[in-house]
Amino acid sequence: MMSWESNVRKVVPYVPGEQPKVNQVIKLNTNENPYPPAPGVQAAMQRYTQRAEELRLYPSPTVENLVHDLAEYYHLSTEQVFVGVGSDDVLATAFLTFFNSEKPIVFPDITYSFYEVWAQLYKIPYVCKPVDENLRLKKEDYVGEYGGVVIANPNAPTAIAERREWMEEIIKANPDCVVIVDEAYVDFGAESCIPLIEKYDNLLVVQTYSKSRSLAGLRVGIGMGNPKLIRFLNDVKFSINSYTINRPTLEYASESLKDEVYFRTCVERICQTREWTKEQLVSLGFTMTDSKTNFVFAKHNTVPAEELFEMLKAKNIYVRHFKAPRVNEYLRISIGTEEEMQTLIETLRAYLKK
């Protein structure tokens, strides 16, 4: 080993969903929105091409226009809003900012696997609490002497959501540490904890533009909490990189907030397709969790998940298969367009009838 290697910070990185290298695929493996951004976003993109010379200038480090628009949308003050490059950036910054204790942080053993990566990267002690036999979190596991609590609600990849009252009990029981509620999928049928921000100064709610707002390619994430908490986040952010959101993205993200009808229509359409997909999968011998997200987490009663995963991939239908214990018989299937989900079901039906 080279002498310098002994000083390298070594971690096992997060593995995102596979990006197909071929065209003409049905991509249901990364929980992207199957519908385009709001028309206003597309119009703003066209307008910006007339001002391309502005790209020689840095963006605003405080992203005050977008922060203002977000605060207005969520009925918060601007001092309660933090913006990052996708919710992953917000979450990573929050881990670095708030989890600086000798006490371990806690999160479920089956959840967004990036949590464990960040804990290892930043040398944060942590414990993973096992979900129960129904893949649900056990409330009592998140009450104790912890250095922080992280819960995705709805959880991923299980797609299960807990009620706001359930979450509040955990937040209230942990006044001495920050509780992060990751709400990446909240718009698809769950209750947000944003109304609790005024009651609890230890709560950080994190959301994203990548799922319900069809802007995964822009990378916009939001952190919401009390002003002191947000100031601490910004202090760390500005100690790493002041110019995190590019100029066009700041405009496109604000434009997305203006068309509530389009936003709600797309979300409702995805939810309707999800419920249809669940019914069809049950008829084919699958069981699944009660999804409140833009994906389903399903396993077949007799056919191994890996076999179905490989079969679908051979047909250019990409879904997600996790090989971790307890969930290795499940497929995570993003909700695509009605036509894409019909093709998925027809492909599964043809294979299972053999």
Side-chain angles (χ1 to χ4, degrees):
M1 179 187 294
M2 295 290 189
S3 59
W4 57 265
E5 286 191 53
S6 61
N7 296 318
V8 172
R9 190 183 299 272
K10 300 182 179 70
V11 293
V12 178
Y14 170 77
V15 179
E18 182 178 357
Q19 297 295 330
K21 301 296 191 298
V22 296
N23 297 321
Q24 304 303 316
V25 302
I26 295 178
K27 191 170 181 290
L28 307 175
N29 67 333
T30 50
N31 298 341
E32 294 151 324
N33 196 309
Y35 304 111
V41 175
Q42 300 177 59
M45 295 177 69
Q46 293 173 354
R47 291 195 301 269
Y48 203 92
T49 61
Q50 307 301 315
R51 298 155 44 211
E53 57 88 22
E54 293 180 8
L55 294 178
R56 64 187 175 80
L57 304 172
Y58 283 113
S60 166
T62 57
V63 297
E64 62 276 357
N65 290 341
L66 178 56
V67 166
H68 172 272
D69 293 342
L70 287 165
E72 188 174 74
Y73 183 84
Y74 289 106
H75 307 292
L76 299 169
S77 71
T78 56
E79 291 77 20
Q80 292 175 301
V81 178
F82 175 87
V83 176
V85 185
S87 60
D88 287 341
D89 181 44
V90 178
L91 288 163
T93 305
F95 269 61
L96 188 59
T97 304
F98 302 118
F99 300 153
N100 192 31
S101 166
E102 294 181 357
K103 298 177 183 178
I105 66 171
V106 61
F107 45 83
D109 65 335
I110 299 174
T111 190
Y112 188 30
S113 56
F114 229 142
Y115 302 155
E116 189 168 9
V117 174
W118 289 319
Q120 293 174 356
L121 178 63
Y122 299 137
K123 298 187 182 299
I124 301 167
Y126 68 95
V127 293
C128 297
K129 293 294 184 176
V131 295
D132 68 18
E133 64 277 7
N134 297 314
L135 303 181
R136 300 190 81 102
L137 281 65
K138 293 176 283 187
K139 189 187 307 177
E140 61 272 17
D141 286 343
Y142 301 90
V143 178
E145 292 296 318
Y146 295 120
V149 180
V150 186
I151 295 176
N153 191 48
N155 196 16
T158 66
I160 298 171
E162 302 295 348
R163 296 291 303 274
R164 184 186 298 133
E165 291 83 359
W166 189 98
M167 295 297 302
E168 183 173 9
E169 290 186 42
I170 291 175
I171 299 163
K172 185 177 181 180
N174 290 279
D176 297 328
C177 69
V178 171
V179 178
I180 297 176
V181 182
D182 182 355
E183 296 185 345
Y185 301 97
V186 72
D187 292 322
F188 298 102
E191 294 179 312
S192 175
C193 286
I194 291 175
L196 301 179
I197 288 174
E198 299 294 343
K199 292 178 64 175
Y200 302 99
D201 62 5
N202 64 323
L203 169 63
L204 179 69
V205 177
V206 179
Q207 293 190 7
T208 178
Y209 271 56
S210 297
K211 313 301 181 185
S212 57
R213 293 194 178 273
S214 307
L215 294 175
L218 282 189
R219 314 307 300 128
V220 178
I222 315 155
M224 293 165 279
N226 83 81
K228 180 181 285 188
L229 185 150
I230 297 301
R231 284 200 302 272
F232 286 138
L233 271 177
N234 276 313
D235 286 345
V236 171
K237 168 191 172 181
F238 292 139
S239 299
I240 299 171
N241 184 358
S242 297
Y243 305 108
T244 53
I245 307 292
N246 65 64
R247 293 175 69 93
T249 293
L250 290 173
E251 294 191 23
Y252 306 157
S254 285
E255 197 66 43
S256 176
L257 295 171
K258 297 178 182 178
D259 196 336
E260 189 71 7
V261 172
Y262 182 85
F263 167 65
R264 295 296 172 190
T265 299
C266 286
V267 167
E268 180 59 29
R269 191 174 179 184
I270 291 168
C271 290
Q272 290 176 354
T273 306
R274 178 190 68 201
E275 296 308 304
W276 178 87
T277 301
K278 288 162 66 175
E279 292 176 1
Q280 298 301 311
L281 289 172
V282 168
S283 73
L284 295 177
F286 285 85
T287 57
M288 68 207 71
T289 60
D290 182 19
S291 173
K292 299 299 181 184
T293 65
N294 66 337
F295 62 89
V296 294
F297 199 54
K299 65 177 179 178
H300 196 266
N301 296 331
T302 58
V303 182
E306 188 167 11
E307 179 181 335
L308 293 174
F309 170 79
E310 295 295 346
M311 180 276 295
L312 289 169
K313 186 175 180 180
K315 302 285 188 180
N316 282 337
I317 301 174
Y318 283 61
V319 299
R320 193 82 190 267
H321 176 237
F322 299 95
K323 295 186 178 182
R326 302 184 69 195
V327 295
N328 58 354
E329 286 305 327
Y330 284 85
L331 295 175
R332 194 194 70 185
I333 306 170
S334 304
I335 301 301
T337 64
E338 290 94 336
E339 294 76 16
E340 288 174 330
M341 303 315 289
Q342 288 169 359
T343 300
L344 168 77
I345 294 301
E346 290 167 3
T347 303
L348 286 169
R349 181 177 289 115
Y351 184 79
L352 294 170
K353 282 185 176 181
K354 291 182 179 180

